[in-house]
Amino acid sequence: MADPQEPCRSDRQEPGAAALGAPEPQGTAESPVRHGTSEDGAQNADPDRVREFALERYRYILQQIHTLNENVYRFLALYQALATAVVGATLALFVGYKSWGLDAATARSGMIALMSLNTVIAGFSVMLIIIGVIAWIDYRQEECELTDKIVHPGFRAKPKLGNLFRWYETYIVAFIVTSTAFAWLGTVRLLLPTVK
C-alpha cells in the first residue's frame, strides 16, 4: 500500500525519479521513429509490419479475385433468367396476338421491342463480364507484383491474353452473343414473316 505522505508522481516519471519540483531534462529525448515515413522509405520500414501488411493485402486480393469469379456466374444466371422471360414473352405474343385482338403491325412492333430488350440485357451482361475480366487482370497483376517482392521474382506468372481461350468468361460471352444472335435470327426469319 502506498504511503499517504509520499508525493504523487506523474505517469511519465520512472519510479526512482524525483517527484515534485524536479525539472525534466530538456532536449535529451529523441524523436520517435516513424517507420516508412522517412526519406529512405522502405529501408526504414519495420519488416514485421511490412510482412503483415503484405499478407493482409494478399488475402484481400485473393478474396477480390474469388468474388470476381463468382460474379461471372451471377451475371450468367441473370442473363439466362431475363432472356428466357423476354424470349418467352416474344413467343407468347406470336402465338396469342390474334386472340388478344392485336393487329399484325402491333404484334411485329412488340416482338421487335422485346428482342431489342433482350439485346440490351445481353449487352449489359457482356459489359459486366468484360469489366470483371479487366478487374481480374488488375488484381492478378497486383498479386504477381506483391509476390515478386515478398516471396521471390516469378513466384506467380502474370496473366497473358494469349490464354483467352482457357478462360471460361470467353465461352460465357460467346454463349450470350450466340444465343442473342439466334434469337434475333429466329424472330426475323421465322416469326415476323408469318405475322400477317
Side-chain angles (χ1 to χ4, degrees), residues 24-138:
E24 292 186 18
Q26 299 283 328
T28 57
E30 293 182 23
S31 61
V33 176
R34 297 183 180 185
H35 296 287
T37 58
S38 65
E39 293 173 3
D40 60 354
Q43 294 172 349
N44 195 29
D46 180 16
D48 291 336
R49 285 189 183 181
V50 170
R51 189 171 304 278
E52 182 181 338
F53 174 78
L55 181 60
E56 287 302 316
R57 184 64 186 168
Y58 189 66
R59 285 182 184 144
Y60 174 77
I61 291 168
L62 292 180
Q63 186 240 349
Q64 291 301 311
I65 289 172
H66 178 72
T67 301
L68 289 169
N69 288 338
E70 286 182 342
N71 284 346
V72 172
Y73 292 110
R74 289 187 186 118
F75 300 148
L76 177 61
L78 178 69
Y79 167 74
Q80 287 175 324
L82 293 175
T84 302
V86 170
V87 171
T90 304
L91 291 173
L93 181 59
F94 171 73
V95 170
Y97 78 95
K98 288 182 183 175
S99 62
W100 297 340
L102 298 174
D103 61 25
T106 304
R108 280 194 297 272
S109 297
M111 284 190 262
I112 291 171
L114 286 167
M115 288 311 302
S116 298
L117 178 60
N118 187 42
T119 305
V120 169
I121 293 167
F124 184 68
S125 301
V126 168
M127 180 189 70
L128 289 175
I129 291 171
I130 290 172
I131 290 170
V133 167
I134 292 169
W136 180 87
I137 290 171
D138 285 345

